[in-house]
Amino acid sequence: MESEWPYRGWALGIRLARLFSALLGACTVFLIYHMARLVFPGSPAIPLLAAGIAAFNPQFLFISSAVNNDNLLILATTGLLWHALLMRRRMLSSPNIPLRWWLGLGGWIGIIGITKLLGGALVAFTGLALVIWGWRARCLLPTLRGLIGALLLAAAMTSWWGIRNQALYGDPLGWQIYRQVFAVNLRTTPFSLEELEPFLRTQFRSFWGVFGWMSIESPAWFYWIPLAGLALAGVGWLIRAVIRRPQPVDAGGALFLMLAVLAHEALMLGIAQQANASIWQGRYLFPVIGPIAILMAGGLLSGVPSRWPRLLPAIALALSAAWLALAVYIAHAVIRNAYPPPLRTPPATIPNPADIQFGDMFRLRGFDIRQRPGSLRVVLYWEALRRPDFDYSVFVHLIGPDGRLIGQRDHAPGADVGRPPTAWSPGEIVVDPHPIPLPAFFSGQGEVRIGVYRWATGERLPALRDGSPAGDSVTLSVVEIHTPWIPVLIGAGILGAIATAGVVKVRRRKR
């Protein structure tokens, strides 16, 4: 068979494509290391730790081993920011920037343009930063000429794609055809302030470790580790602002990276006005994974006492090694266990047995509902009555007492483990987890409702419950939701008090 060693045909092609994705990820880490050297000159420990934070991020490893255009975009945006920092350093010493530098800038922008428009905010932000740097270096006119040349090169690299879209769809960006095909991903209600907290929480969790199609979560304790790291990094930057540290830092470069993160996040919030929770995925923040890793590493090592400068490389290696060990654990304990071989016979025990049929292709054999901090995990057990003729999607809605939609999750069952519905065989059992983000501070009863629909048209399949018609959706259960946020806020307050006390103590010692 093609899928067995030695690989042939499609199996060989997929593995070669995954190898190429892994090489793109490795190049991204290489650029992050050198970008950190520009921001922290003369400090080998911080670039080393920044590369380790990015390279051993379990979500980054997962995306880098998959076949998608995210990996090229991440490399291109990282390269763009690195190239901009190089040009900034050159402007500070000489107003004459060689033509090849501007052509290199245009090359990075061109790669972004033909890969994904998600990098547009970073392109605009970098161009603005170069104009400001050129003005401050008294070389504004040469900077504008060089920037125009870079943009012309990028336009030459990407124009063929716009021409193609115009010829096929009558739209150079293909936005209208996207709205038709992926209408299910677009919002039907305005983005509200109540959604901001679950938006940020989902971004954070899936930036570090929610796999598949946002359906395979890491253990709850795992997310506290990067959260603690970010908190300690913030304290470290506060200490750096109060006390001089031996590690030199290019403050302008660090500010550039921080503003780059904010510019990209502003774009994500803008897209969230048009798209639903499908855009909340943390991988969409990976275009700025370099700045995030560098700022985090700089903050963590800034918190190390100044009398330990020789220990900084060892501390950076130890933290990177610990992060690597955690990534290996997640890969084996979470990701590997979530991709078992397809089940040809029903499992020995399926919780909450049910007999709910959707159309003539899907039967729900059982379900499991459990609340986790910040989310409600609904696991559905599907049986294929026959091979589906389309990769239908399943929606899981959580409805509040007033009939308002509290949270939802939509995806094709089995797609996150490489078994979309069109790949099912009759009698196969597919385990389909749906983690539903919960609004902060919500408590009360919620009704879990599910349905199956053709995502291209929105048409729902009719449901039968125990042989009787049940409309186009079925209520599985009514659950009681309890908010876990009060203990979290108390803990955050305690942590903040300890950090503040530590800073005050350090200041007193300095005096």
Side-chain angles (χ1 to χ4, degrees), residues 8-33:
R8 308 184 296 279
W10 63 267
L12 177 61
I14 289 177
R15 282 164 173 80
L16 290 176
R18 292 182 63 189
L19 177 61
F20 180 67
S21 292
L23 290 175
L24 293 177
C27 291
T28 298
V29 174
F30 177 81
L31 289 177
I32 290 173
Y33 174 80

Side-chain angles (χ1 to χ4, degrees), residues 416-446:
D416 54 352
V417 293
R419 297 288 295 179
T422 51
W424 295 2
S425 299
E428 181 176 345
I429 301 295
V430 175
V431 182
D432 178 30
H434 288 255
I436 303 176
L438 297 175
F441 307 110
F442 173 81
S443 294
Q445 286 190 337

Side-chain angles (χ1 to χ4, degrees), residues 101-157:
W101 287 49
W102 292 109
L103 294 179
L105 181 75
W108 289 118
I109 296 174
I111 295 173
I112 292 172
I114 62 176
T115 305
K116 219 168 189 177
L117 295 180
L118 199 63
L122 291 177
V123 171
F125 168 75
T126 301
L128 178 61
L130 286 168
V131 170
I132 294 174
W133 294 337
W135 171 70
R136 295 187 64 182
R138 301 180 183 275
C139 58
L140 179 58
L141 190 58
T143 299
L144 291 175
R145 286 199 299 262
L147 191 57
I148 291 173
L151 293 176
L152 288 175
L153 173 61
M157 294 174 61

Side-chain angles (χ1 to χ4, degrees), residues 388-451:
D389 59 1
F390 185 79
D391 286 333
Y392 292 85
S393 286
V394 172
F395 70 80
V396 179
H397 289 173
L398 181 62
I399 309 297
D402 56 357
R404 181 171 58 93
L405 181 65
I406 300 173
Q408 72 178 83
R409 179 68 67 188
D410 297 47
H411 63 241
D416 54 352
V417 293
R419 297 288 295 179
T422 51
W424 295 2
S425 299
E428 181 176 345
I429 301 295
V430 175
V431 182
D432 178 30
H434 288 255
I436 303 176
L438 297 175
F441 307 110
F442 173 81
S443 294
Q445 286 190 337
E447 179 182 306
V448 178
R449 190 180 300 169
I450 70 167

Side-chain angles (χ1 to χ4, degrees), residues 487-500:
V488 173
L489 292 175
I490 294 174
I494 294 174
L495 179 62
I498 294 174
T500 303

